[in-house]
Amino acid sequence: MQKIKCFDYCGDKNAFIPLLGFALSDISETLDEEEKEIITLVFTNDYHVAIDISVQDGRVMISEPYAVKEDLTAITDEEAAV
């Protein structure tokens, strides 16, 4: 997983259907290059698959599902190949 793709949420509630069976596992706060706050909610399931939802002023982004380790760090392509 070199880069996790994110997509802007455009009001389609079906975008959240992949979250069925997921639980909130982490919340983080960062700043973008313009010093605007971004809140990221990480949802994981029992199979160590995660989906991020990032909320910023007037913008919501949803990541594609990605594999994570116990500590919620993304599994790299090299680790997945083993």
Side-chain angles (χ1 to χ4, degrees):
M1 304 247 157
Q2 298 302 325
K3 178 147 173 67
I4 299 168
K5 296 178 186 172
C6 288
F7 307 93
D8 281 334
Y9 171 67
C10 299
D12 178 15
K13 65 183 178 183
N14 292 331
F16 293 101
I17 287 176
L19 289 175
L20 293 176
F22 282 70
L24 180 64
S25 56
D26 191 33
I27 300 173
S28 62
E29 180 182 332
T30 58
L31 298 174
D32 66 6
E33 59 276 349
E34 298 173 1
E35 299 293 320
K36 292 183 180 177
E37 183 178 61
I38 301 172
I39 305 295
T40 301
L41 308 171
V42 179
F43 293 87
T44 57
N45 66 11
D46 293 338
Y47 302 102
H48 297 286
V49 174
I51 297 175
D52 298 342
I53 297 180
S54 299
V55 181
Q56 190 177 16
D57 290 336
R59 186 175 186 192
V60 175
M61 295 174 295
I62 303 170
S63 77
E64 65 181 353
Y66 60 96
V68 293
K69 301 176 200 171
E70 292 276 337
D71 65 357
L72 298 179
T73 58
I75 293 175
T76 64
D77 290 336
E78 294 79 27
E79 292 170 327
V82 174

